[in-house]
């Protein structure tokens, strides 16, 4: 900031905070809690989900078809039913994550009614908390409002199962509404747009509620609502090791309140290496679209990808965003499902050419990386390759991409918090080795 008083740290920030990389090797430090082969350090047990992307054979990591199982159920099976009377799955997936079993129709109806009953916000909350001093990033508002809701809960420090469940359901219900209200508050403050404040419609699903509140005319088609519902399902849960869910475990293990825990998880998800990565994907794809004249030409697309890989284009990082994942190798099941529904929505529309371009990027990127770098790495498209494209087709603004992720993941975070409360039992405290092997002699001020 312009008015900051400058101190020495400004000039020596990197120097002071740099640790010789060789020391990490010397002390066998698992940076990022990751082993040298990229596998995660085993830090806990969970019955909530299993993220599978490789197998270990004779101590070596071997690529495998990606699988995501929620409470033992394969994601493809959970989302594979397209019957007209089963248009929405998110509430069912949410129930499964929290309760551990698939619901009967009556159980699902009761759960949906419980979510529906919690959408109201405290009196005056929108005007005093959401519309006041609205920052330019919705994720910060989500974290702030979760923390502020603590003040409206007279039993906020209650750790009983009943209160934990009630708090989780209230946030699963309210976050989508807070997200849309914040979007319009932000647009009004920074772009002088109209402040649209639609009421929610009782009985609508989470996906329908978001579209109904977001669109000025409140109109949407069944296929649009179905597609958004699928996106919420794809983002609902992804194992205990992803950064925001691990954040949930860490804070819960410290025995802090639910609101502090979920606000911290939202802060983690905002990160550009986590949920915020979708913005990088969208920006990269936009640059490719602007600089490749013929999207149908493999050579032209590959040539621009080569520029990206060689740090000559986009952000000069050499990364093809939307490709690769920490766990998945041959395929990301979320990307497979997202792509399938995206194609169904895009074919025959103005978006089909763009969809085919993304397919081409997915197909050519591994080959380009091999040709340019001479290294082969098992690499598949991740869910971000197509998620932004889907949201764009639905007319959802980019400012809402990561907040939508947070609204969906609230169910997964809650399930992991419950599990940590019941089974974790110990505060999470990994070790950090000091680089000062010897005691340093103190020097009095006048001798420095």
């Amino acid at each position: 900031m312009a008015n900051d008083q400058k101190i020495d740290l400004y000039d020596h920030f990197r120097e002071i905070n740099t640790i010789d990389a060789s020391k990490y090797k010397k002390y066998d430090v698992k940076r990022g809690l990751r082993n040298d082969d990229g596998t995660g350090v085993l830090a806990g047990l969970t019955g909530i989900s299993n993220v599978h992307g490789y197998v270990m054979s004779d101590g070596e990591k071997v690529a495998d078809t990606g699988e995501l199982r929620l409470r033992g159920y394969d994601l493809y099976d959970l989302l594979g039913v397209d019957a007209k009377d089963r248009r929405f799955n998110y509430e069912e997936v949410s129930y499964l994550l929290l309760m551990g079993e698939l619901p009967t129709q009556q159980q699902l109806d009761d759960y949906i009614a419980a979510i529906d009953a919690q959408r109201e916000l405290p009196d005056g909350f929108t005007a005093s908390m959401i519309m006041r001093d609205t920052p330019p990033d919705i994720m910060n508002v989500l974290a702030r409002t979760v923390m502020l809701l603590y003040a409206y809960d007279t039993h906020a420090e209650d750790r009983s199962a009943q209160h934990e469940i009630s708090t989780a359901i209230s946030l699963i219900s309210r976050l989508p509404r807070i997200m849309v209200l914040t979007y319009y508050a932000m647009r009004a403050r920074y772009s002088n747009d109209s402040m649209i404040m639609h009421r929610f419609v009782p009985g609508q699903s989470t996906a329908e509620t978001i579209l109904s509140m977001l669109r000025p005319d409140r109109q949407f088609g069944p296929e649009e609502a179905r597609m958004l519902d699928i996106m919420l399902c794809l983002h609902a849960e992804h194992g205990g090791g992803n950064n925001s869910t691990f954040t949930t475990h860490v804070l819960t293990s410290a025995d802090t309140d639910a609101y502090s825990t979920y606000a911290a998880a939202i802060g983690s998800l905002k990160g550009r290496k986590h949920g915020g990565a979708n913005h990088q994907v969208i920006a990269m794809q936009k640059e490719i679209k602007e600089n490749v004249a013929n999207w149908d030409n493999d050579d032209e697309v590959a040539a621009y990808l080569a520029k990206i890989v060689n740090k000559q284009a986009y952000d000069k990082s050499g990364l093809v965003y939307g490709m690769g994942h920490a766990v998945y190798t041959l395929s990301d099941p979320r990307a497979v499902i997202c792509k399938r529904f995206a194609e169904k929505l895009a074919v025959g529309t103005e978006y089909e050419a763009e969809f085919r371009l993304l397919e081409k990027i997915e197909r050519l990127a591994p080959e380009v990386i091999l040709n340019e770098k001479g290294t082969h790495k098992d690499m598949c498209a991740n869910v971000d390759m197509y998620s932004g494209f889907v949201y764009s087709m639905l007319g959802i603004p980019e400012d809402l991409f990561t907040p939508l992720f947070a609204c969906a993941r609230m169910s997964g975070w809650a399930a992991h918090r419950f599990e940590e409360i019941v089974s974790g039992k110990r505060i999470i405290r990994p070790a950090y080795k000091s680089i000062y092997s010897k005691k340093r002699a103190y020097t009095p001020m006048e001798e420095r």
Side-chain angles (χ1 to χ4, degrees), residues 128-434:
S128 62
M129 302 299 179
I130 295 177
M131 296 178 64
R132 182 179 178 182
D133 300 325
T134 308
D137 194 294
I138 296 173
M139 292 295 284
N140 288 67
V141 182
L142 291 184
R144 183 177 75 177
T145 51
V146 169
M147 289 295 288
L148 290 170
L149 285 169
Y150 173 100
Y152 292 83
D153 185 345
T154 56
H155 303 286
E157 289 295 339
D158 184 358
R159 304 290 195 275
S160 69
Q162 181 176 355
H163 181 263
E164 286 288 342
I165 295 167
S166 176
T167 302
I169 290 176
S170 74
L171 293 177
I172 290 169
S173 174
R174 289 169 165 178
L175 278 183
R177 188 171 178 223
I178 292 169
M179 172 188 70
V180 178
L181 290 171
T182 300
Y183 170 71
Y184 279 114
M186 188 182 75
R187 296 293 300 173
R189 179 175 183 184
Y190 296 100
S191 303
N192 295 318
D193 286 350
S194 298
M195 178 66 197
I196 298 175
M197 297 178 64
H198 290 317
R199 287 281 299 164
F200 66 92
V201 178
Q204 286 188 332
S205 70
T206 301
E208 290 174 309
T209 296
I210 292 169
L211 291 175
S212 174
M213 290 188 64
L214 180 62
R215 295 188 172 177
D217 62 2
R218 310 204 73 165
Q219 300 302 305
F220 57 88
E223 285 302 314
E224 293 178 303
R226 168 65 169 159
M227 185 71 248
L228 181 56
D229 177 78
I230 290 294
M231 297 305 297
L232 294 173
C233 291
L234 296 181
H235 285 112
E237 162 61 11
H238 205 234
N242 71 80
N243 199 274
S244 58
T245 302
F246 189 63
T247 297
T248 300
H249 277 280
V250 170
L251 269 79
T252 301
S253 77
D255 194 27
T256 195
D257 66 277
Y259 298 95
S260 295
T261 298
Y262 297 133
I266 291 169
S268 165
L269 189 69
K270 179 190 173 185
R272 289 180 292 183
K273 293 183 179 181
H274 192 10
N278 52 43
H279 296 294
Q280 297 274 50
V281 177
I282 290 295
M284 183 200 74
Q285 292 173 352
K286 180 182 179 182
E287 182 172 300
I288 293 174
K289 286 184 285 185
E290 291 173 347
N291 287 276
V292 174
N294 185 358
W295 296 0
D296 293 326
N297 189 300
D298 278 15
D299 291 339
E300 287 189 38
V301 175
Y304 204 82
L305 287 173
K307 287 185 177 181
I308 292 174
V309 170
N310 288 314
K311 303 181 181 182
Q312 298 168 350
Y314 186 48
D315 64 355
K316 311 297 197 307
S317 68
L319 300 175
V320 179
Y321 293 101
M323 295 297 298
H325 189 267
V327 177
Y328 297 124
T329 53
L330 299 184
S331 60
D332 177 343
R334 302 168 305 164
V336 173
I337 293 172
C338 184
K339 179 180 178 180
R340 180 195 307 162
F341 279 91
E343 182 172 26
K344 184 178 179 182
L345 210 59
V347 169
T349 73
E350 60 186 299
Y351 294 102
E352 185 171 0
E354 185 175 347
F355 174 79
R356 299 305 175 196
L357 174 62
L358 300 189
E359 275 192 317
K360 206 176 293 292
I361 294 172
E362 177 186 2
R363 174 170 56 83
L364 294 174
E367 179 182 325
V368 170
I369 292 170
L370 175 61
N371 290 340
E372 298 301 317
K373 297 296 184 182
T375 57
H376 174 75
K377 180 180 179 182
D378 294 305
M379 178 182 292
C380 62
N382 59 53
V383 68
D384 289 329
M385 175 63 77
Y386 294 96
S387 63
F389 171 69
V390 169
Y391 290 143
S392 296
M393 280 196 294
L394 294 176
I396 293 173
E398 188 176 342
D399 286 326
L400 291 178
F401 289 3
T402 312
L404 276 168
F405 194 158
C407 291
R409 185 56 61 86
M410 184 58 222
S411 295
W413 290 334
H416 281 276
R417 176 169 168 83
F418 297 169
E419 193 174 66
E420 184 66 36
I421 288 172
V422 174
S423 300
K425 301 301 184 184
R426 300 184 68 179
I427 186 169
I428 295 174
R429 195 202 185 286
Y432 273 69
K433 183 175 179 61
S434 173

Side-chain angles (χ1 to χ4, degrees), residues 58-92:
D58 295 327
E60 292 188 4
K61 181 179 173 183
V62 180
D64 198 14
T65 302
E67 292 182 358
L68 175 57
R69 295 180 183 175
L70 307 183
R71 297 288 189 182
Y73 294 96
D74 193 282
L75 188 66
Y76 292 111
D77 294 333
L78 291 172
L79 303 184
V81 178
D82 282 325
K84 291 183 179 180
D85 60 348
R86 192 186 176 194
R87 205 150 37 93
F88 302 110
N89 291 79
Y90 178 70
E91 286 75 15
E92 184 176 11

